[in-house]
């Protein structure tokens, strides 16, 4: 489990495609400072498991399903990514509960500077729209954010300078894809509503 508070910007230093899966090596000194084999690290919102590591890097396997659901441009040498170590018991929950199990991608439609903050508008797929609400939580490339506005097929987030500087969202331009994870509570409520009082036993 993660909180969506990005700890550092990392870099993909190696990417090897293996059939319908892949293996990625990421440079992230802080991320591996107390990591062990088997630990989870969020890479731009995707929960990956450390299989090898060095002084400032780690390697993880990326399943085919993850590749299919995440932004394709993320998986290439030289790409900057958001990194967060898994939350430990007793940590302050500065963001919201983020699993690292992305729902898919969203296209960045518009970037607007409004005073000291920047507004990003993203497209919203029909399957995700019921799970995104104004003032609700959403993770974009692993970053815990508050939805500042939402329509039937779009949502917006408003970013302060700190977020723009410390994460990859400050570099995003219209037309790019990002990984999104909707709020886990919204997903559970939507699932329960589908059964409409029926039991599964």
């Amino acid at each position: 489990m993660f909180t969506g508070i990005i700890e550092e910007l990392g870099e993909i230093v190696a990417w090897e495609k293996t059939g319908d899966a892949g293996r990625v090596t990421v440079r992230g000194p802080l991320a591996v400072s107390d990591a062990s084999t088997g630990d989870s690290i969020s890479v731009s919102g995707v929960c990956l498991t450390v299989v090898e590591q060095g002084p400032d890097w780690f390697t993880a396997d990326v399943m085919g399903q993850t590749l299919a659901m995440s932004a394709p441009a993320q998986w290439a040498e030289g790409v900057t990514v958001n990194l967060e170590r898994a939350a430990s018991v007793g940590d302050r929950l500065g963001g919201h509960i983020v699993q690292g199990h992305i729902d898919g991608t969203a296209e960045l439609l518009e970037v607007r500077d409004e005073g000291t903050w920047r507004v990003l508008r993203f497209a919203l797929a029909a399957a995700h729209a019921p799970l995104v609400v104004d003032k609700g939580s959403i993770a974009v490339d692993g970053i815990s954010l508050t939805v500042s506005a939402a329509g039937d097929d779009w949502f917006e987030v408003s970013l302060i300078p700190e977020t723009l500087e410390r994460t990859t969202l400050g570099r995003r331009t219209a037309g790019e894809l990002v990984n999104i994870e909707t709020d886990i509570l919204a997903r559970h409520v939507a699932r329960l509503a589908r059964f409409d009082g029926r039991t599964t036993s």
Side-chain angles (χ1 to χ4, degrees), residues 151-163:
D152 291 341
D153 58 0
W154 59 269
F155 73 93
E156 291 182 348
V157 294
S158 299
L159 308 179
I160 61 174
E162 177 77 2
T163 304

Side-chain angles (χ1 to χ4, degrees), residues 4 6 9 44 80-82 106-108 110-113 118-122 138-146 155-174 176-180:
I6 303 306
L9 291 174
S44 287
T80 301
V81 290
N82 299 314
E107 180 184 354
L108 178 55
E110 181 185 0
V111 178
R112 304 193 311 272
D113 284 320
R118 184 174 299 169
V119 177
L120 276 60
R121 176 175 286 202
F122 296 94
I138 192 166
V140 177
D141 278 347
I143 306 160
S144 174
L145 297 170
T146 299
F155 73 93
E156 291 182 348
V157 294
S158 299
L159 308 179
I160 61 174
E162 177 77 2
T163 304
L164 294 171
E165 181 179 346
R166 292 178 59 87
T167 74
T168 56
L169 286 186
R171 313 173 187 194
R172 292 294 192 180
T173 58
E176 293 185 308
L177 294 178
V178 297
N179 300 321
I180 63 168

Side-chain angles (χ1 to χ4, degrees), residues 59-143:
T59 296
D61 292 319
V62 185
M63 297 185 303
Q65 181 184 20
T66 301
L67 293 178
M69 294 187 67
S70 59
Q74 173 179 337
W75 309 110
E77 291 182 23
V79 171
T80 301
V81 290
N82 299 314
L83 298 179
E84 180 191 356
R85 293 170 292 180
S88 61
V89 175
D91 277 357
R92 290 183 177 89
L93 189 61
H96 71 283
I97 296 173
V98 178
Q99 294 183 297
H101 305 158
I102 61 172
D103 293 294
T105 60
E107 180 184 354
L108 178 55
L109 299 176
E110 181 185 0
V111 178
R112 304 193 311 272
D113 284 320
E114 297 189 359
T116 58
W117 67 90
R118 184 174 299 169
V119 177
L120 276 60
R121 176 175 286 202
F122 296 94
L124 191 56
H128 304 149
L131 308 175
V132 179
V133 298
D134 188 20
K135 304 303 184 291
S137 296
I138 192 166
V140 177
D141 278 347
I143 306 160

